[in-house]
Amino acid sequence: MTMIDIIKNQKAPRKLGLYIHIPFCRTKCLYCDFCSFVSRDSNEREEYVRALLREIKSRGTKEYLVDTIYFGGGTPSLLNAEQIGRILACVRENFVVCEDVEVTLECNPMISKRDVEDAVPYGDGLDSRDVGDADPYGDGDYFVELRKIGVNRLSIGIQSAIDSELKLIGRRHTFEDAKRTFSIARESGFDNISVDLMFGIPSQTGDSLEISLRRIISLGAEHISIYSLQLEEGTPIYRMRNRYSLADDDTLADMYEAVVSSMKRAGYSHYEISNFAKAGRESRHNSKYWRLDEYLGLGLAAHSDFGGKRIENTKDMGKYLLGECVENELEISQGEREFEFLMLGLRTSRGISKSEFFARFGIDFDEKYGEKVKICEKMGYFLQNDEFVALNERGFEVSNSILAQILDFDY
Ligand code: SF4
């Protein structure tokens, strides 16, 4: 056997994404139903980090190549850089991590010193790092430390550039705080930053959304994610919903359209229904979810799609701290896989590769879905050729009802 044959016979290791959940927040936003708790106690956070390290050790594998790590939450920036560094070191010891791994950390805008002094009555002996999100005193050390330990992408939860809107949804920061955080992150060397923008906020109008778009785009982030406000049962905003005038479906559709055209004018590509990126700056981690690639979720309430199974971690902090991490493991049927593959793939501008579909499911896409796709194509919602099928911009706007027709479910 020649060296070339040996190389050919060596299988490339499968790629893996890691999602690491940090379930702490400084305060709870009024619309939030994520698994996150208000934390003012650094001991509690340290105890959680130790439990997380134990889980990472127990689930480590050398059979995959980790190419993305995503710290989500919650507010991961409530951990100090030393704690994030210990988590990353533990990942490197227990997994094979590729050299150009994308390491993203979600953070909230830092609040100013004045806000901290005025608004946060913490008398519990916490150090300055504990008082605000990340670095409240603005010297940028926190971000510099994050860069040193290998974090190379930030996702900053800005949501709106209008302070009264931020206040209505219970966010602690102002747009000035967000701008300041963004520029400190840049000065600290972050050249890959994503920001979030929300639409459908109570009291938001087309004009105020335009202002937010202009201000947020002018930051020059590499990536922007957009969300419409969801009124989730059990949240304070849901209980208070009758007090607000909320956007109806038509207004939300107009807002979405306005967002898309502003982003495009600013040079962002609309690569997924809710995500925009400058060239080459698409989120590598989130793309795994849309392509059904494997990922392992670590931490409280984290989900995994790993080894053909969907794994759900416990939401019970007491159990998690005792090492009882996994709540459920479910085999995923071929039918479910096929549904997810189409549903998630069609959220992206790349769409679905028909040959990849055949390789995964042994089904000819055109035979099974061709007729329905043709009808929607005639209506102007799809683009397709011999290899790819994708929703176009018009299709993105009504994606739920189009997908319901193609995939045959009630919407
Ligand atoms: S910062 Fe995020 S996770 Fe925390 S309460 Fe607000 S929306 Fe929820």
Side-chain angles (χ1 to χ4, degrees), residues 195-211:
V195 299
D196 292 345
L197 166 74
M198 193 180 266
F199 63 100
I201 295 174
S203 87
Q204 192 175 43
T205 60
D207 288 345
S208 73
L209 178 63
E210 282 294 337
I211 296 172

Side-chain angles (χ1 to χ4, degrees), residues 22 31 52 148 161 175 177 180 198 226 245 295 299 311 365 389 397 401:
I22 308 298
Y31 59 92
L52 188 54
K148 280 191 202 152
F175 183 61
D177 295 327
R180 192 169 134 271
M198 193 180 266
I226 58 161
S245 82
Y295 62 92
I311 305 166
F365 180 87
V389 55
E397 282 171 28
S401 62

